[in-house]
């Protein structure tokens, strides 16, 4: 008998021709996540199991597994032979000692010398013998003992499941570039798109010395927290000072933010092209601030030529985003008080209804605008995010 962790993935995605593709990426992500952890993964048909770990590391392993997109739930279980005595011994070990219970048997191997109903009754009877304060209750039990008999050699006995992150395995939906500021919203946006299976690269616009070294460190820290979900990734830091200064020099003051955001989008699309990334993601949320009105989003979006921009938070309330940030563990870092480049040269009253025509007119005045954009893409610093 040994202790194992049983993993379950969402069946819904396994139907059809994509099944092997989906499974192979999920297996790769599980293997990657557990690299350096003493344990053994077994990827059987429709059943993934982790075993061979020290009892003391079980919780930590479960935690790691619960962060992998594509897994639906997990259970810690005892693994025995399919012999009734072995199963009964395991059931006795994991059972509560009093209360109402039920035994539920799933029998994948139909050649075994018992039916599911016979086995459930037998195990139930032995539990009642072992613990006289137990009581069978098929309809409203306090707990359930699950017996999953896979073959004559293998049965799993467990009594509860822990929900995992759900979603699709990272890497099954292509690659994207996420604009990561140091704020609350964009890390949540990154999490949500990784959950849909996108493999992410992150990009940050940094206006040193207007924004500090600490502001950059904070974004690196956020990328490391997100790594739990995104897997290994990289953060592209764009030197943004020169562009911001140029915009400040030539732009109408109330168009400052609009033009900064258009420059960010241009650089993001060029960077995505350079690295073969198929979409851009940001943390915009309709109506949250001046730069996120429908008109502002239209004007910033209009510089993008060839790829979609995903805004997974567009319909969220700030409260909901904060709750999500707390849940995924980025909130405490996001609220550290280091300024973002959007707050540099902030106008008193930013335009809430900017137009494309006026934006273009201002941009035309900026000397060597295209060259500044090109240089920013070229001079990016690439920071690998691969340590835990
Ligand atoms: P956040 O909390 O994510 O910073 P926000 O509510 O402060 O969002 P804005 O500052 O208007 O909103 O930014 C909107 C989005 O633009 C951000 O969610 C992020 O995706 C992107 N963004 C803003 N500033 C930067 C930056 N310095 N580097 C990278 N992306 C940025
Ligand atoms: Mg911000």
């Amino acid at each position: 008998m040994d202790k194992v962790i049983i993993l379950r993935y969402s069946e819904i995605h396994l139907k059809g021709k994509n099944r092997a593709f989906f499974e192979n990426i999920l297996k790769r992500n599980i293997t990657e996540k557990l690299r350096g952890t003493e344990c053994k993964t077994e990827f059987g048909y429709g059943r993934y199991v982790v075993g061979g770990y020290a009892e003391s590391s079980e919780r930590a392993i479960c935690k790691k597994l619960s962060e992998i997109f594509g897994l639906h739930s997990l259970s810690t279980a005892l693994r025995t032979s399919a012999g009734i005595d072995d199963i009964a011994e395991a059931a006795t070990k994991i059972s509560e000692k009093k209360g109402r219970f039920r035994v539920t048997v799933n029998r994948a191997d139909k050649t075994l010398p018992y039916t599911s109903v016979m086995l459930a009754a037998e195990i139930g009877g032995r539990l009642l013998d072992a613990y006289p304060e137990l009581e069978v209750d098929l309809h409203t039990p306090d707990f359930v003992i699950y017996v999953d008999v896979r073959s004559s050699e293998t049965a799993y006995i467990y009594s509860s499941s822990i929900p995992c992150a759900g979603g699709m395995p990272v890497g099954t939906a292509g690659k994207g570039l996420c604009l990561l500021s140091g704020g609350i919203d964009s890390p949540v946006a990154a999490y949500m798109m990784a959950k849909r299976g996108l493999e992410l690269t992150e990009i940050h616009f940094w206006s040193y010395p207007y924004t500090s070294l600490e502001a950059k460190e904070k974004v690196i820290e956020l990328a490391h927290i997100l790594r739990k979900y995104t897997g290994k990734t990289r953060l592209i830091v764009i030197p943004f000072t020169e562009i911001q200064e140029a915009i400040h020099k030539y732009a109408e003051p109330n168009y400052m933010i609009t033009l900064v955001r258009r420059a960010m989008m241009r650089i993001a699309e060029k960077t995505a092209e350079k690295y073969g990334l198929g979409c851009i993601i940001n943390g915009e949320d309709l109506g949250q601030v001046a730069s996120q009105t429908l008109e502002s989003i239209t004007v910033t979006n209009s510089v993008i030529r060839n790829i979609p921009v995903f805004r997974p938070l567009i319909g969220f309330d700030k409260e909901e985003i904060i709750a999500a940030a707390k849940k995924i563990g980025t909130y405490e870092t996001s609220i550290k008080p280091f300024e973002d480049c959007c707050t540099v040269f902030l106008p008193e009253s930013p335009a809430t209804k900017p137009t494309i025509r006026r934006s273009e007119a201002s941009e035309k005045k900026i000397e060597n605008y295209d060259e500044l954009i090109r240089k920013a893409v070229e001079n990016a610093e690439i920071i690998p995010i691969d340590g835990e």
Side-chain angles (χ1 to χ4, degrees), residues 179-187 203-205 261 264 281-284 288-289 291-292 318 340-342:
L179 276 70
L180 195 63
S181 68
I184 296 169
D185 304 347
S186 45
I203 186 168
H204 178 68
F205 299 88
R261 302 197 56 75
M264 282 184 184
I281 298 133
N282 71 28
E284 284 174 335
Q288 192 184 91
V289 288
S291 63
Q292 296 175 27
K318 192 76 188 184
D340 182 41
C341 69
C342 284

Side-chain angles (χ1 to χ4, degrees), residues 110-387:
K110 304 295 180 201
T111 66
L112 292 162
Y114 44 70
T115 66
S116 299
V117 176
M118 280 161 63
L119 183 61
E122 179 63 27
I123 301 300
R126 298 217 197 172
L127 286 174
L128 290 172
D129 289 345
Y131 305 120
E133 286 183 65
L134 285 180
E135 196 186 316
V136 173
D137 184 337
L138 299 183
H139 302 294
T140 52
D142 300 324
F143 68 97
V144 179
I145 300 287
Y146 294 95
V147 179
D148 185 6
V149 189
R150 305 305 294 178
S151 68
S152 58
E153 283 92 54
T154 317
Y156 298 100
I157 299 90
Y158 59 92
S159 75
S160 62
S161 297
I162 300 167
C164 293
M168 303 281 279
V170 168
T172 55
K175 298 179 182 180
L177 180 65
C178 184
L179 276 70
L180 195 63
S181 68
I184 296 169
D185 304 347
S186 45
V188 177
Y191 173 92
M192 287 178 71
M193 295 318 295
K195 184 172 181 178
R196 295 312 305 155
L198 275 180
E199 183 182 317
L200 299 184
T201 293
E202 285 138 4
I203 186 168
H204 178 68
F205 299 88
W206 188 49
S207 292
Y208 187 77
Y210 302 108
T211 52
S212 60
L213 267 173
E214 285 92 338
K216 178 170 147 189
E217 290 299 327
K218 175 178 164 182
V219 177
I220 296 172
E221 192 179 319
L222 285 169
H224 276 282
I225 297 171
L226 287 169
R227 182 195 180 281
K228 286 198 282 226
Y229 314 104
T230 61
K232 235 176 10 193
T233 180
R234 66 192 153 189
L235 173 68
I236 299 178
V237 178
I238 301 286
F240 203 52
T241 315
E242 238 184 306
I243 291 176
Q244 264 196 297
E245 284 173 343
I247 293 173
H248 184 233
K249 191 162 156 197
Y250 294 104
E252 300 175 49
N254 61 344
Y255 265 60
M256 184 71 208
I257 291 185
T258 309
L259 298 197
V260 162
R261 302 197 56 75
R262 280 165 65 92
M264 282 184 184
M265 287 303 227
R266 286 197 166 93
I267 292 168
E269 186 172 29
K270 285 198 182 341
T271 304
E273 264 165 24
K274 182 170 170 181
Y275 291 98
L277 313 171
C279 64
I280 292 172
I281 298 133
N282 71 28
E284 284 174 335
D285 170 17
L286 191 63
Q288 192 184 91
V289 288
S291 63
Q292 296 175 27
T293 61
L294 183 55
E295 290 82 357
S296 295
I297 291 176
T298 304
V299 171
T300 48
N301 198 69
S302 71
V303 303
I304 299 284
R305 295 272 164 260
N306 296 315
I307 56 176
V309 179
F310 294 142
R311 298 175 176 85
L313 304 183
I314 199 73
F316 275 48
D317 289 346
K318 192 76 188 184
E319 300 297 307
E320 292 169 311
I321 299 170
I322 289 173
K326 285 182 176 165
K327 189 165 149 247
I328 66 175
T330 51
Y331 182 74
E332 292 303 324
T333 303
S334 287
I335 59 172
K336 286 186 186 171
F338 303 116
E339 67 300 328
D340 182 41
C341 69
C342 284
T343 60
V344 177
F345 310 130
L346 199 67
E348 260 172 35
S349 56
T352 54
K353 294 186 191 305
T355 66
I356 294 176
R357 204 171 47 79
R358 277 176 69 180
S359 305
E360 284 175 347
S362 279
E363 281 163 356
K364 282 214 180 77
K365 289 192 229 147
I366 301 172
E367 265 169 65
N368 297 325
Y369 182 71
D370 293 342
E371 177 61 14
L372 286 175
I373 298 278
R374 198 191 57 73
K375 249 175 52 190
V377 175
E378 203 161 280
N379 294 335
E381 179 191 2
I382 314 286
I383 302 174
I385 308 291
D386 52 9

Side-chain angles (χ1 to χ4, degrees), residues 93-113:
K93 275 197 172 150
I94 66 164
S95 175
E96 307 285 339
K97 300 194 174 30
K98 56 181 175 190
R100 291 168 298 147
F101 79 104
R102 181 183 82 207
V103 178
T104 295
V105 174
N106 172 40
R107 197 177 50 122
D109 183 345
K110 304 295 180 201
T111 66
L112 292 162

